[in-house]
Amino acid sequence: MRRPQELADVSEDREIIAQVLSGDVEWFALLISRYKRDVFATVHYHVPPGAVEEVAHETFVRAFEKLSTFNGEKPFKNWLRAIAMSRCMDYWRRASRQRELSVEVIDEESVLWPRESASMSAEEHLLRDTSLENLRRAVQRALDTLPAQDRILIGLIYKEELNHGEIAEVLGWSVAKVKVRAHRVRKKLRTLLLDLAPSEEGKDATRESAE
C-alpha cells in the first residue's frame, strides 16, 4: 500500500503531465526538478561517470517525446526509470559499435562481483595478486564483452541489489525471463572470468622467463 505522500506525488505528477500535454510545455521543468536526482542516481550505477549527465539528459528528452504514451498504470517515477535503463543500454550499444570500451569506475564494493560470479578457483587466481587495479581490469574486460542488456542486468543484480520482481518491473520483462537471463549471464560472466584467470602453468612459465 502506498503512503499518503506517494499518493500525493502521483496525483501531482498526473496534473503536471496533463498541463504539458495540453500545450504548457514549461510545466515539464517541474518533472525534471522533481526527478533529476532519481534519474542521476539510477544512471550512475550503469555508465561511466563521464557519461552520466549525457545519459540523464537523453532520458528526460525521451520522456518528453514519449509523454503522451504514459498511461498512469504505474507511477511516473517508475516509467521514467525504465526509460533511463533503456538509455543506459543504448549507451553501451553505441560504445560497442564504436569499439570504444569506456573505463568504468569499480570501487571496493564491486570486488564482490567476481567473488559471487566466478568459481572459487577463478577467484583464487584473480586474487593471487592482491592488486585491486589488476582485479578491476579483469572485471572490466569481462564486462566489456557482454551485450548491453546483460551488462545492465549485472548492474541491477550486483550494484543496485534488486530482486527478480524489481528487475522485471524496471526492464519490462516477466519474472521468469529475468530468472532465466540472470542465470545465463552469471554463467557467461563466470566463464569469462575463468578465461581471464591465468593458469598456474602460465604463471610458472612467466616466472621462469623472468628468471
Side-chain angles (χ1 to χ4, degrees), residues 1-121:
M1 181 178 296
R2 293 176 185 166
R3 293 174 294 182
Q5 184 57 50
E6 291 177 331
L7 293 173
D9 290 343
V10 169
S11 178
E12 289 176 8
D13 286 346
R14 289 174 179 169
E15 292 177 10
I16 294 171
I17 291 169
Q19 291 291 335
V20 176
L21 294 179
S22 69
D24 294 330
V25 295
E26 65 272 12
W27 282 66
F28 191 75
L30 295 177
L31 294 175
I32 295 176
S33 178
R34 176 172 287 189
Y35 293 110
K36 181 177 180 179
R37 180 175 297 180
D38 291 325
V39 169
F40 270 74
T42 294
V43 170
H44 100 276
Y45 278 117
H46 302 286
V47 302
V52 170
E53 186 171 356
E54 175 188 356
V55 175
H57 175 73
E58 291 175 354
T59 297
F60 282 110
V61 169
R62 188 63 169 172
F64 180 79
E65 294 172 344
K66 292 292 185 179
L67 195 60
S68 62
T69 68
F70 176 70
N71 56 24
E73 291 182 357
K74 56 185 178 181
F76 179 76
K77 179 179 180 179
N78 295 12
W79 183 79
L80 187 61
R81 178 169 183 169
I83 293 177
M85 298 310 305
S86 179
R87 297 302 93 190
C88 290
M89 290 183 193
D90 285 344
Y91 170 84
W92 289 115
R93 291 189 184 104
R94 291 195 301 269
S96 177
R97 287 197 298 268
Q98 297 168 359
R99 296 173 183 257
E100 293 176 357
L101 300 179
S102 302
V103 177
E104 180 176 309
V105 173
I106 299 179
D107 55 23
E108 297 283 350
E109 293 181 358
S110 298
V111 174
L112 292 175
W113 289 19
R115 291 181 181 175
E116 294 180 14
S117 301
S119 69
M120 185 59 67
S121 59

Side-chain angles (χ1 to χ4, degrees), residues 92 102 104 140 143-144 146-155:
W92 289 115
S102 302
E104 180 176 309
Q140 182 63 44
L143 290 174
D144 284 340
L146 296 177
Q149 284 190 338
D150 288 348
R151 184 170 191 140
I152 295 301
L153 181 57
I154 284 292

Side-chain angles (χ1 to χ4, degrees), residues 153 164-165 167-168 173-184:
L153 181 57
H164 291 148
I167 294 173
W173 297 353
S174 68
V175 173
K177 179 177 179 178
V178 171
K179 290 180 178 179
V180 171
R181 192 69 176 257
H183 174 74
R184 289 177 180 172

